Amino acid sequence: MALQAVGAQHAYRLLNHGPTVLVGSAHAGRSNVMAAAWAMPLDFDTPKIAVVIDKSTLSRELIEASGVLSVNVPSVAQRDLVVAAGTLSGKEHTDKLARCGIDTHPAPLTGAPLVEGCTAQLECRVLPATQHVAGPHDLILAEVLGAWADERVFSQGRWQFENAPPGLRSLHHVAGGHFYATGDPLA
């Protein structure tokens, strides 16, 4: 799969449809990836996002220490990987990425881990305003520095799931380990 750069003006669209995401974090030689159902775009000029990350997680520790993160949009074909990433704790399993079968590569500007095989990836820098909301609300605010998407499902500035194999649709967690795939478009 070849990912193509997504212009800043369209980066927010990678999250606009509400997919479950994989959040990548790294600091001082330690990396983690966690599943998150609460992620959303906040702005499109400069693109910004919000993601909820509990203060008790390794991901939160790594993000606060490094000031960077990645947000990755997995596909239906990666459901088991998403469940594993959301079930195993990076604090309890230092080999979590290997156990979950998660391969990553460093983002070009920040080094945050980008998850291989995802249909979209966003490289982000935590915004200073985060300190006021992260503590009491577990809300991380970030600026998107770079974005990439699989052209088989995202082209011409929008998702095109109807033209792609079903396994490339995005996942949507609705509770209790139950997921839906992105549906068919309406005319």
Side-chain angles (χ1 to χ4, degrees):
M1 164 184 17
L3 297 179
Q4 302 296 316
V6 173
Q9 77 277 19
H10 294 137
Y12 76 96
R13 293 179 180 177
L14 297 175
L15 299 179
N16 206 39
H17 66 299
T20 297
V21 298
L22 294 170
V23 177
S25 56
H27 181 70
R30 185 90 192 266
S31 294
N32 195 46
V33 172
M34 65 168 273
W38 296 344
M40 62 180 269
L42 292 177
D43 200 353
F44 54 88
D45 184 23
T46 307
K48 296 173 194 70
I49 61 144
V51 62
V52 175
I53 303 174
D54 189 276
K55 65 183 103 338
S56 68
T57 65
L58 175 61
S59 291
R60 175 78 171 268
E61 290 177 17
L62 297 174
I63 291 166
E64 287 180 348
S66 68
V68 300
L69 68 147
S70 70
V71 176
N72 305 269
V73 179
S75 68
V76 167
Q78 293 175 298
R79 181 191 180 279
D80 291 343
L81 181 146
V82 171
V83 171
T87 303
L88 288 180
S89 166
K91 284 186 172 182
E92 296 173 12
H93 302 280
T94 57
D95 62 344
K96 176 182 175 178
L97 298 183
R99 281 179 176 237
C100 295
I102 298 173
D103 293 321
T104 66
H105 65 275
L109 298 175
T110 65
L114 298 172
V115 179
E116 296 287 343
C118 286
T119 57
Q121 302 170 331
L122 296 97
E123 175 181 20
C124 306
R125 176 184 59 85
V126 175
L127 292 169
T130 293
Q131 65 186 343
H132 302 294
V133 294
H137 305 294
D138 293 332
L139 186 65
I140 304 296
L141 306 175
E143 175 184 359
V144 177
L145 303 176
W148 302 269
D150 185 329
E151 63 185 354
R152 294 176 295 172
V153 287
F154 190 90
S155 63
Q156 301 170 8
R158 71 172 188 86
W159 288 104
Q160 313 241 356
F161 295 113
E162 65 272 20
N163 299 322
L168 292 179
R169 291 181 181 219
S170 60
L171 289 168
H172 301 267
H173 184 256
V174 294
H178 193 71
F179 292 87
Y180 281 93
T182 298
D184 294 325
L186 300 174

